[in-house]
Amino acid sequence: MISLPRLCAALIVTFAFVQPSHAITGSRSAPSVGVAQSIVTVVAAGGGVCTGTMIAPNIILTAAHCIAPGTANRVIDYSTKPPQLIAPQQVAVHPRYNAQSIAAHRATADVALLRLSAPMPGKSAALLGVPRIPFTPVSRFTVVGIGSTVAGSDSGVGTARAAPLAVTGQPGTLQVRLVDPQTQNKAAGMGACTGDSGAPAFEDQDGRSVIVGVVSWSTGANNSAGCGGLTGVTPLTLYNDWIVKTARSWGAAIP
């Protein structure tokens, strides 16, 4: 996640031999079983980790800034003992993604896909959607990630935790800023943290939880460095067609 401390390379080795624990700073809520089964840990660019979501049995949605050159990314399979690192067969970054923009917290097409050679054991796909527009002050998303539970620490990285967050600012089809409704960015609250880049933002639509965005960045309270302030989400409004077409070109059916 841009502007947050990256996890060191040694942490990747640790992940290969431990079971996951809970994440999302400020949150003590686990997601539903169905949502939890769609969340995966992606070993990311620069020696860190990101969150990914299964949108088909062998297709993972994550953030473009998590993708390393070539096939350097790995996905952790916790179904084995010890866990194994799986290399993706194909990687696709949205052609309009701009790394300089994401580094400056500006809107860009921060979405990417990974194709595995086989379905992930014990995982199931989440439903893909687009956010309902226009947004209102009562709009709510639920972010689910495997990142740190404590800002500036690798504590709790591994298994998904959920954070119900509210839309703030002037949201649009390029970027949405979310905030803990209890703290309103004035004090540390719930939000994405290190390791939550690429995490899905879910919206409840007609009684179903559907992915409507991915986490791109976060801040501390009052827009400081860290976690627990704002959570920046790239909505899928403009990118859903690309996701579906790319996945289908790989032979995956996206509902």
mmCIF file of all heavy atoms in Angstrom, residues 77-95:
data_model
loop_
_atom_site.group_PDB
_atom_site.id
_atom_site.type_symbol
_atom_site.label_atom_id
_atom_site.label_comp_id
_atom_site.label_asym_id
_atom_site.label_seq_id
_atom_site.Cartn_x
_atom_site.Cartn_y
_atom_site.Cartn_z
ATOM 1 N N ASP A 77 -0.965 -20.498 -0.325
ATOM 2 C CA ASP A 77 -1.961 -21.555 -0.153
ATOM 3 C C ASP A 77 -1.825 -22.107 1.259
ATOM 4 O O ASP A 77 -0.874 -22.833 1.572
ATOM 5 C CB ASP A 77 -1.731 -22.661 -1.196
ATOM 6 C CG ASP A 77 -2.707 -23.826 -1.023
ATOM 7 O OD1 ASP A 77 -3.644 -23.713 -0.204
ATOM 8 O OD2 ASP A 77 -2.518 -24.856 -1.707
ATOM 9 N N TYR A 78 -2.767 -21.738 2.138
ATOM 10 C CA TYR A 78 -2.726 -22.163 3.532
ATOM 11 C C TYR A 78 -3.353 -23.536 3.759
ATOM 12 O O TYR A 78 -3.407 -24.009 4.885
ATOM 13 C CB TYR A 78 -3.446 -21.146 4.420
ATOM 14 C CG TYR A 78 -2.689 -19.857 4.624
ATOM 15 C CD1 TYR A 78 -3.115 -18.675 4.020
ATOM 16 C CD2 TYR A 78 -1.557 -19.801 5.427
ATOM 17 C CE1 TYR A 78 -2.439 -17.481 4.213
ATOM 18 C CE2 TYR A 78 -0.862 -18.626 5.625
ATOM 19 C CZ TYR A 78 -1.308 -17.463 5.018
ATOM 20 O OH TYR A 78 -0.633 -16.284 5.211
ATOM 21 N N SER A 79 -3.823 -24.190 2.687
ATOM 22 C CA SER A 79 -4.485 -25.486 2.864
ATOM 23 C C SER A 79 -3.484 -26.613 3.090
ATOM 24 O O SER A 79 -3.876 -27.716 3.465
ATOM 25 C CB SER A 79 -5.361 -25.804 1.646
ATOM 26 O OG SER A 79 -4.561 -26.078 0.504
ATOM 27 N N THR A 80 -2.199 -26.359 2.850
ATOM 28 C CA THR A 80 -1.167 -27.372 3.052
ATOM 29 C C THR A 80 -0.358 -27.055 4.306
ATOM 30 O O THR A 80 -0.377 -25.925 4.804
ATOM 31 C CB THR A 80 -0.221 -27.435 1.843
ATOM 32 O OG1 THR A 80 0.497 -26.191 1.743
ATOM 33 C CG2 THR A 80 -0.979 -27.682 0.555
ATOM 34 N N LYS A 81 0.331 -28.030 4.804
ATOM 35 C CA LYS A 81 1.214 -27.843 5.959
ATOM 36 C C LYS A 81 2.612 -28.362 5.607
ATOM 37 O O LYS A 81 2.785 -29.564 5.424
ATOM 38 C CB LYS A 81 0.671 -28.588 7.181
ATOM 39 C CG LYS A 81 -0.649 -28.017 7.687
ATOM 40 C CD LYS A 81 -1.102 -28.710 8.954
ATOM 41 C CE LYS A 81 -2.416 -28.111 9.462
ATOM 42 N NZ LYS A 81 -2.874 -28.770 10.709
ATOM 43 N N PRO A 82 3.603 -27.451 5.504
ATOM 44 C CA PRO A 82 3.472 -26.004 5.664
ATOM 45 C C PRO A 82 2.782 -25.386 4.457
ATOM 46 O O PRO A 82 2.687 -26.021 3.400
ATOM 47 C CB PRO A 82 4.926 -25.540 5.764
ATOM 48 C CG PRO A 82 5.678 -26.536 4.948
ATOM 49 C CD PRO A 82 5.007 -27.856 5.201
ATOM 50 N N PRO A 83 2.314 -24.142 4.576
ATOM 51 C CA PRO A 83 1.700 -23.468 3.427
ATOM 52 C C PRO A 83 2.676 -23.359 2.259
ATOM 53 O O PRO A 83 3.896 -23.369 2.450
ATOM 54 C CB PRO A 83 1.347 -22.083 3.984
ATOM 55 C CG PRO A 83 1.217 -22.306 5.454
ATOM 56 C CD PRO A 83 2.239 -23.329 5.801
ATOM 57 N N GLN A 84 2.134 -23.248 1.053
ATOM 58 C CA GLN A 84 2.951 -23.170 -0.146
ATOM 59 C C GLN A 84 2.742 -21.853 -0.866
ATOM 60 O O GLN A 84 1.696 -21.216 -0.750
ATOM 61 C CB GLN A 84 2.611 -24.322 -1.092
ATOM 62 C CG GLN A 84 2.909 -25.708 -0.529
ATOM 63 C CD GLN A 84 2.579 -26.805 -1.515
ATOM 64 O OE1 GLN A 84 1.969 -26.558 -2.554
ATOM 65 N NE2 GLN A 84 2.985 -28.021 -1.207
ATOM 66 N N LEU A 85 3.757 -21.451 -1.620
ATOM 67 C CA LEU A 85 3.663 -20.266 -2.459
ATOM 68 C C LEU A 85 3.340 -20.702 -3.879
ATOM 69 O O LEU A 85 4.056 -21.515 -4.466
ATOM 70 C CB LEU A 85 4.976 -19.486 -2.436
ATOM 71 C CG LEU A 85 5.386 -18.899 -1.088
ATOM 72 C CD1 LEU A 85 6.755 -18.246 -1.197
ATOM 73 C CD2 LEU A 85 4.356 -17.886 -0.604
ATOM 74 N N ILE A 86 2.260 -20.161 -4.445
ATOM 75 C CA ILE A 86 1.812 -20.522 -5.789
ATOM 76 C C ILE A 86 2.165 -19.397 -6.751
ATOM 77 O O ILE A 86 1.833 -18.230 -6.508
ATOM 78 C CB ILE A 86 0.295 -20.770 -5.824
ATOM 79 C CG1 ILE A 86 -0.097 -21.878 -4.840
ATOM 80 C CG2 ILE A 86 -0.172 -21.101 -7.227
ATOM 81 C CD1 ILE A 86 -1.596 -22.063 -4.717
ATOM 82 N N ALA A 87 2.823 -19.730 -7.841
ATOM 83 C CA ALA A 87 3.145 -18.748 -8.867
ATOM 84 C C ALA A 87 1.978 -18.616 -9.833
ATOM 85 O O ALA A 87 1.448 -19.624 -10.315
ATOM 86 C CB ALA A 87 4.405 -19.163 -9.624
ATOM 87 N N PRO A 88 1.530 -17.408 -10.141
ATOM 88 C CA PRO A 88 0.451 -17.241 -11.123
ATOM 89 C C PRO A 88 0.927 -17.604 -12.516
ATOM 90 O O PRO A 88 2.108 -17.434 -12.853
ATOM 91 C CB PRO A 88 0.108 -15.758 -11.030
ATOM 92 C CG PRO A 88 1.350 -15.112 -10.515
ATOM 93 C CD PRO A 88 1.988 -16.121 -9.603
ATOM 94 N N GLN A 89 0.009 -18.086 -13.348
ATOM 95 C CA GLN A 89 0.332 -18.415 -14.730
ATOM 96 C C GLN A 89 0.296 -17.175 -15.623
ATOM 97 O O GLN A 89 1.057 -17.075 -16.586
ATOM 98 C CB GLN A 89 -0.668 -19.455 -15.264
ATOM 99 C CG GLN A 89 -0.590 -20.785 -14.552
ATOM 100 C CD GLN A 89 0.768 -21.458 -14.741
ATOM 101 O OE1 GLN A 89 1.149 -21.777 -15.859
ATOM 102 N NE2 GLN A 89 1.487 -21.653 -13.655
ATOM 103 N N GLN A 90 -0.587 -16.244 -15.308
ATOM 104 C CA GLN A 90 -0.696 -15.002 -16.065
ATOM 105 C C GLN A 90 -1.039 -13.851 -15.126
ATOM 106 O O GLN A 90 -1.677 -14.050 -14.085
ATOM 107 C CB GLN A 90 -1.788 -15.107 -17.145
ATOM 108 C CG GLN A 90 -1.430 -15.980 -18.328
ATOM 109 C CD GLN A 90 -2.560 -16.069 -19.335
ATOM 110 O OE1 GLN A 90 -3.515 -16.817 -19.133
ATOM 111 N NE2 GLN A 90 -2.479 -15.299 -20.414
ATOM 112 N N VAL A 91 -0.580 -12.670 -15.507
ATOM 113 C CA VAL A 91 -0.867 -11.451 -14.754
ATOM 114 C C VAL A 91 -1.299 -10.375 -15.739
ATOM 115 O O VAL A 91 -0.718 -10.251 -16.824
ATOM 116 C CB VAL A 91 0.372 -10.979 -13.969
ATOM 117 C CG1 VAL A 91 0.087 -9.641 -13.288
ATOM 118 C CG2 VAL A 91 0.798 -12.015 -12.949
ATOM 119 N N ALA A 92 -2.316 -9.602 -15.376
ATOM 120 C CA ALA A 92 -2.769 -8.503 -16.226
ATOM 121 C C ALA A 92 -2.999 -7.261 -15.367
ATOM 122 O O ALA A 92 -3.698 -7.318 -14.354
ATOM 123 C CB ALA A 92 -4.055 -8.868 -16.963
ATOM 124 N N VAL A 93 -2.380 -6.157 -15.752
ATOM 125 C CA VAL A 93 -2.566 -4.861 -15.108
ATOM 126 C C VAL A 93 -3.383 -3.984 -16.055
ATOM 127 O O VAL A 93 -3.153 -3.985 -17.266
ATOM 128 C CB VAL A 93 -1.207 -4.197 -14.804
ATOM 129 C CG1 VAL A 93 -1.396 -2.769 -14.312
ATOM 130 C CG2 VAL A 93 -0.443 -5.025 -13.780
ATOM 131 N N HIS A 94 -4.340 -3.249 -15.517
ATOM 132 C CA HIS A 94 -5.170 -2.415 -16.387
ATOM 133 C C HIS A 94 -4.282 -1.471 -17.202
ATOM 134 O O HIS A 94 -3.363 -0.846 -16.646
ATOM 135 C CB HIS A 94 -6.175 -1.611 -15.565
ATOM 136 C CG HIS A 94 -7.270 -1.037 -16.391
ATOM 137 N ND1 HIS A 94 -7.105 0.081 -17.184
ATOM 138 C CD2 HIS A 94 -8.566 -1.434 -16.580
ATOM 139 C CE1 HIS A 94 -8.231 0.351 -17.812
ATOM 140 N NE2 HIS A 94 -9.144 -0.542 -17.460
ATOM 141 N N PRO A 95 -4.523 -1.345 -18.501
ATOM 142 C CA PRO A 95 -3.637 -0.538 -19.349
ATOM 143 C C PRO A 95 -3.607 0.944 -18.991
ATOM 144 O O PRO A 95 -2.660 1.643 -19.368
ATOM 145 C CB PRO A 95 -4.218 -0.758 -20.761
ATOM 146 C CG PRO A 95 -5.608 -1.259 -20.547
ATOM 147 C CD PRO A 95 -5.569 -2.027 -19.279
#
